[in-house]
Amino acid sequence: GDYYLLKKSIGDEFDFELYNKLIRDSGLTDFVEMIDKVIDSIFNESSIDEEIILYIYKSSMYGSNRLRIKNGIKKYGRFKYMLRLFFLPYRSMAQNYHVLKYLPFLLPVMWLVRFVRFCFRGQSSLSTIKSLID
């Protein structure tokens, strides 16, 4: 909504040539065109694929866990995504397990600790596992 209101309120004062050049140079042309179509369909009731609008609506501000998993599986495949989920790289693991900053050779042990903690996390881990299986 903010993007739509900004474009609507600026009107003729906006330098669309510069804007379009920046969009083209950054390689975001397709993305911006899609966003413009979605916003146009929402505010001006023109036709667009309802799945796109439903996807955006279900994603909320930061996206849902289920959609994140679905996108990860689509990008990497189910097995590779599960490996990436459970065996995070050193940098990510060190953020959660500070002992790794001083004893990096404990990374495999911390993967095991992470997996055990994941299994006993309760409802959120059950929904993650269910999403991986579905």
Side-chain angles (χ1 to χ4, degrees):
D2 296 341
Y3 177 73
Y4 173 79
L5 293 174
L6 176 67
K7 285 183 77 173
K8 194 95 167 143
S9 66
I10 292 176
D12 296 335
E13 299 172 28
F14 193 68
D15 186 356
F16 280 102
E17 285 184 34
L18 176 62
Y19 171 77
N20 289 331
K21 181 186 180 321
L22 291 171
I23 296 299
R24 250 189 332 274
D25 291 348
S26 64
L28 294 172
T29 305
D30 292 341
F31 174 76
V32 171
E33 286 176 2
M34 184 191 70
I35 294 298
D36 284 339
K37 285 179 187 176
V38 169
I39 289 173
D40 186 53
S41 73
I42 291 170
F43 289 101
N44 298 324
E45 298 182 23
S46 59
S47 64
I48 192 168
D49 188 358
E50 288 182 22
E51 277 188 49
I52 293 173
I53 294 173
L54 189 60
Y55 179 86
I56 292 170
Y57 177 73
K58 284 184 173 181
S59 294
S60 69
M61 181 69 80
Y62 301 105
S64 71
N65 194 37
R66 190 171 191 81
L67 286 173
R68 180 180 58 82
I69 292 169
K70 185 178 177 182
N71 289 334
I73 290 172
K74 185 190 256 185
K75 184 175 182 178
Y76 299 108
R78 188 175 311 274
F79 181 72
K80 190 171 181 181
Y81 180 72
M82 288 174 67
L83 286 177
R84 290 175 61 89
L85 180 67
F86 291 113
F87 299 104
L88 295 177
Y90 169 78
R91 179 180 264 166
S92 299
M93 290 292 290
Q95 289 177 348
N96 294 321
Y97 303 98
H98 299 287
V99 69
L100 289 174
K101 293 176 184 175
Y102 307 105
L103 304 169
F105 62 88
L106 289 178
L107 180 60
V109 175
M110 292 298 111
W111 282 332
L112 183 61
V113 169
R114 174 180 158 74
F115 182 73
V116 170
R117 290 178 79 187
F118 175 81
C119 290
F120 292 103
R121 226 174 37 193
Q123 190 63 33
S124 63
S125 61
L126 287 176
S127 66
T128 302
I129 291 169
K130 186 176 179 187
S131 296
L132 287 170
I133 294 170
D134 288 344

